[in-house]
Amino acid sequence: MPRRTLFPVAVVVALMAGTAGIALAAMDEPIQPIAPAKVSNPGLVELGKKLFFDTRLSKSGFISCNSCHNLSMGGSDNLKTSIGHNWQKGPINAPTVLNSSLNVAQFWDGRALTLQDQAGGPIANPGEMAFTHTLAVTTLQSIPGYVAEFKAVFGTDKVSIEEVTKAIAAFEETLVTPNSRFDKWLMGDKGALTNAELEGYELFKDSGCTACHNGAAAGGNTFQKMGVVEPYKSSSPAEGRVAVTKEEADRFNFKVPTLRNVELTYPYFHDGEAATLAQAVDVMGRIQLGKRFTEPENAKIVAFLKTLTGDQPSFPLPILPPSSDKTPQPKPFD
Amino acid sequence: MPRRTLFPVAVVVALMAGTAGIALAAMDEPIQPIAPAKVSNPGLVELGKKLFFDTRLSKSGFISCNSCHNLSMGGSDNLKTSIGHNWQKGPINAPTVLNSSLNVAQFWDGRALTLQDQAGGPIANPGEMAFTHTLAVTTLQSIPGYVAEFKAVFGTDKVSIEEVTKAIAAFEETLVTPNSRFDKWLMGDKGALTNAELEGYELFKDSGCTACHNGAAAGGNTFQKMGVVEPYKSSSPAEGRVAVTKEEADRFNFKVPTLRNVELTYPYFHDGEAATLAQAVDVMGRIQLGKRFTEPENAKIVAFLKTLTGDQPSFPLPILPPSSDKTPQPKPFD
């Protein structure tokens, strides 16, 4: 049980630190500030940004990465489960792409180890973008604007799916959200939080939430069982990490979702069944910690959670290079 | 037949003008430069921009104005006909929203006189966003960030559909695309076009294309019959302006689409059946003008058409205000 070891450490360090300064203040806490993205290859990121918004990576020509990881909406689609090709109902809630570079692995069951691995998944998933990697590459290769951009970035005339996913991943690595009010508080601005928010944070820590929701992303760094104290009831077919490890002990183990920007990423849980933060906090308290938060306690924790909303990625809407006469036609209704 | 009257005027004026200067040079031509947008109420435009990108104006929570009028893709969806709620196949090709403020009316059949009238249509169309105006307003009214923004812009706590569509229209009015290479040429920069492009333009004028495709938008300002010289064969159910006027003479009369940014707004015609500009030019020549352009002629006209791509709207991707606990849940699968 990580919270038994981690939590006391955090408390002890916090007690030891006192008012010893900004850097130390941040270091003491189980949640750490998010660092702004450092871009080493801007051309690669710009290419990835275009691809992220490009519906031509789907069979229909209608669905892009941004359809389900909408950067206007916290990097999520705000739906219980996503809508895929031909309006198929997805099996799971789309996790936010924001701060996903901080995750230990990608997808709820961690089946992709890297953002690059993840990026290829939805393109070829028949229930999502329903394309193939081959067709995606053929399509991009037919678009002169992309060919020139791939050439400038990768130095080759030939587009490959590895390049496509590498570019998307490089863009996604920039989608961090520093500068939340909570981060300002962590960095020493003691006026950044209200008393109620601070009480919510103390309650969050004292209740053991930080056992799983810790680190820069306040989650995303471990797999944990959904339903520790009492079982979680869901009609969702998702069985969690057992699908990857084939170990029965991993059944209903899911990657702990980040709480960064959680105000924006409703609804909650892998099945999207918690519509509000109040519901999510209530369920988490009961099934993970065996606690029933009172209404005022719940409200304080929710108030704290809303301080985790950081600067959202800000960039001009990308303008995509037009198709050529050779570009395969999208097939939305086949 | 407008081209019999308008075209000679343009030619005569052009002949008279000679090299009389920039302003006159632009004035002489049947296609006029696009003026940049003047924003008189930035708050209204910003609100409209958010609404344009907001999927919560649809029943599913998945479709926004930008889904079919995608500003990364020339203000269109680049599909033959659009995809609506529950993956319904739309009856008609989505016209570009770019420069739509220059249109004589909105929709292919002109059934909305203003952008504001138009904006309410898709929200409540069961085949498109499948919502109702009442539910859209209830949803927005439940979102504190929107309520504050409507209050700042309209001075009232109560959101109305008129305010919603007014804001969307105000945003759409900014979506003009000045500064195309053709406009630069019109304004006196004679090096802005290649010889082939200029020959294409001359051929475009000499062939009578400017009879319908004239004005700042190179179209959008009249209704014309699709199939003047020979009938246009289509499996599309769209019957054109007769649906509005109930006059049989208006059957298959459609609003002439703008040729601005036509390189980006494929596929072409109300049924989206022309996949490429070469095909569109060929069909137009035959059925509207009784001309069969040779391949080199066709290529020159296409080269000219591609000079009509202007500065695409550039703005940071809007970040939408989050829903509250009171916001009605989207219903994608009902």
Side-chain angles (χ1 to χ4, degrees), chain B residues 15-88:
Chain B
L15 288 171
M16 284 167 61
T19 53
I22 291 173
L24 194 54
M27 222 185 327
D28 300 340
E29 299 292 339
I31 300 176
Q32 292 294 303
I34 284 189
K38 284 187 194 137
V39 173
S40 58
N41 188 342
L44 183 65
V45 169
E46 283 305 308
L47 174 57
K49 185 188 295 173
K50 289 196 180 91
L51 295 168
F52 189 87
F53 279 84
D54 205 318
T55 57
R56 287 169 294 189
L57 294 181
S58 66
K59 180 182 178 186
S60 63
F62 189 63
I63 299 178
S64 71
C65 304
N66 194 64
S67 297
C68 298
H69 302 286
N70 194 321
L71 294 172
S72 297
M73 294 152 51
S76 70
D77 56 11
N78 294 147
L79 300 175
K80 278 189 187 181
T81 63
S82 295
I83 296 171
H85 182 80
N86 205 22
W87 212 260
Q88 287 173 84

Side-chain angles (χ1 to χ4, degrees), chain B residues 41-54 57 65-66 71 119 146 149-150 153-154 163-175 315 318 320:
Chain B
N41 188 342
L44 183 65
V45 169
E46 283 305 308
L47 174 57
K49 185 188 295 173
K50 289 196 180 91
L51 295 168
F52 189 87
F53 279 84
D54 205 318
L57 294 181
C65 304
N66 194 64
L71 294 172
Y146 271 130
E149 214 163 326
F150 274 88
V153 169
F154 293 106
E163 290 165 358
V164 171
T165 54
K166 187 174 179 182
I168 293 173
F171 170 59
E172 291 176 339
E173 280 167 14
T174 70
L175 302 177
F315 52 82
L320 304 179

Side-chain angles (χ1 to χ4, degrees), chain A residues 295-310:
Chain A
E295 264 190 50
E297 285 172 340
N298 186 305
K300 282 178 189 169
I301 293 176
V302 168
F304 153 64
L305 292 173
K306 290 185 176 178
T307 71
L308 292 168
T309 304

Side-chain angles (χ1 to χ4, degrees), chain B residues 116-265:
Chain B
Q116 187 179 0
D117 277 354
Q118 190 280 333
I123 294 172
N125 187 322
E128 301 185 24
M129 295 163 88
F131 219 27
T132 69
H133 289 175
T134 304
L135 283 168
V137 165
T138 304
T139 297
L140 295 172
Q141 190 82 59
S142 75
I143 300 169
Y146 271 130
V147 171
E149 214 163 326
F150 274 88
K151 172 128 192 177
V153 169
F154 293 106
T156 164
D157 286 315
K158 222 165 149 46
V159 177
S160 71
I161 192 67
E162 289 72 28
E163 290 165 358
V164 171
T165 54
K166 187 174 179 182
I168 293 173
F171 170 59
E172 291 176 339
E173 280 167 14
T174 70
L175 302 177
V176 293
T177 62
N179 214 26
S180 70
R181 287 198 293 120
F182 184 73
D183 281 6
K184 288 177 185 167
W185 179 84
L186 278 177
M187 304 293 280
D189 176 1
K190 292 310 171 195
L193 300 191
T194 67
N195 283 343
E197 290 161 351
L198 209 47
E199 285 168 35
Y201 177 49
E202 292 302 328
L203 192 53
F204 183 84
K205 288 195 291 186
D206 292 347
S207 307
C209 307
T210 44
C212 299
H213 292 287
N214 56 55
N221 48 357
T222 59
F223 298 92
Q224 301 291 343
K225 186 167 178 189
M226 179 75 167
V228 170
V229 177
E230 51 177 272
Y232 178 64
K233 291 187 181 109
S234 175
S235 57
S236 164
E239 49 186 11
R241 188 137 177 83
V242 62
V244 177
T245 64
K246 310 298 174 198
E247 300 207 24
E248 198 51 38
D250 285 332
R251 183 167 300 276
F252 304 132
N253 275 21
F254 293 94
K255 189 178 64 194
V256 177
T258 176
L259 295 181
R260 292 287 181 178
N261 312 293
V262 72
E263 180 183 12
L264 310 179
T265 60

Side-chain angles (χ1 to χ4, degrees), chain A residues 122-208:
Chain A
I123 295 172
N125 187 323
E128 301 186 23
M129 296 163 88
F131 219 26
T132 69
H133 289 174
T134 305
L135 283 168
V137 165
T138 303
T139 298
L140 295 172
Q141 190 82 59
S142 75
I143 299 168
Y146 271 130
V147 171
E149 213 162 326
F150 274 89
K151 172 127 193 178
V153 169
F154 293 106
T156 164
D157 286 316
K158 220 164 150 47
V159 176
S160 70
I161 191 67
E162 288 72 27
E163 290 165 357
V164 171
T165 54
K166 187 173 179 183
I168 293 173
F171 170 59
E172 291 176 339
E173 280 168 13
T174 69
L175 302 176
V176 293
T177 62
N179 214 27
S180 69
R181 286 199 293 119
F182 184 73
D183 282 5
K184 287 178 186 168
W185 180 85
L186 279 177
M187 304 293 280
D189 176 1
K190 292 310 172 196
L193 300 190
T194 66
N195 283 343
E197 289 162 352
L198 209 47
E199 285 168 35
Y201 177 49
E202 291 302 327
L203 193 54
F204 183 83
K205 288 196 290 187
D206 292 348
S207 307

Side-chain angles (χ1 to χ4, degrees), chain A residues 78-99:
Chain A
N78 294 149
L79 300 175
K80 278 189 187 182
T81 63
S82 294
I83 296 171
H85 183 79
N86 204 22
W87 213 262
Q88 288 172 84
K89 185 177 181 171
I92 210 156
N93 180 264
T96 178
V97 69
L98 297 180
N99 305 303

Side-chain angles (χ1 to χ4, degrees), chain A residues 221-303:
Chain A
N221 48 356
T222 58
F223 297 93
Q224 301 289 343
K225 185 167 178 187
M226 179 77 166
V228 170
V229 177
E230 50 177 273
Y232 179 65
K233 292 187 180 108
S234 175
S235 57
S236 164
E239 49 186 10
R241 188 136 177 86
V242 61
V244 177
T245 63
K246 310 299 174 197
E247 300 206 22
E248 199 50 37
D250 285 332
R251 184 167 299 277
F252 304 132
N253 276 19
F254 293 94
K255 189 178 64 192
V256 177
T258 176
L259 294 181
R260 291 286 181 179
N261 310 294
V262 72
E263 181 183 13
L264 310 179
T265 60
Y266 50 89
Y268 306 106
F269 306 151
H270 66 276
D271 56 5
E273 281 297 327
T276 67
L277 275 176
Q279 285 171 36
V281 167
D282 181 64
V283 171
M284 282 284 104
R286 285 191 290 102
I287 71 168
Q288 301 299 94
L289 301 165
K291 280 180 192 289
R292 291 187 178 269
F293 293 118
T294 64
E295 264 190 50
E297 285 172 340
N298 186 305
K300 282 178 189 169
I301 293 176
V302 168

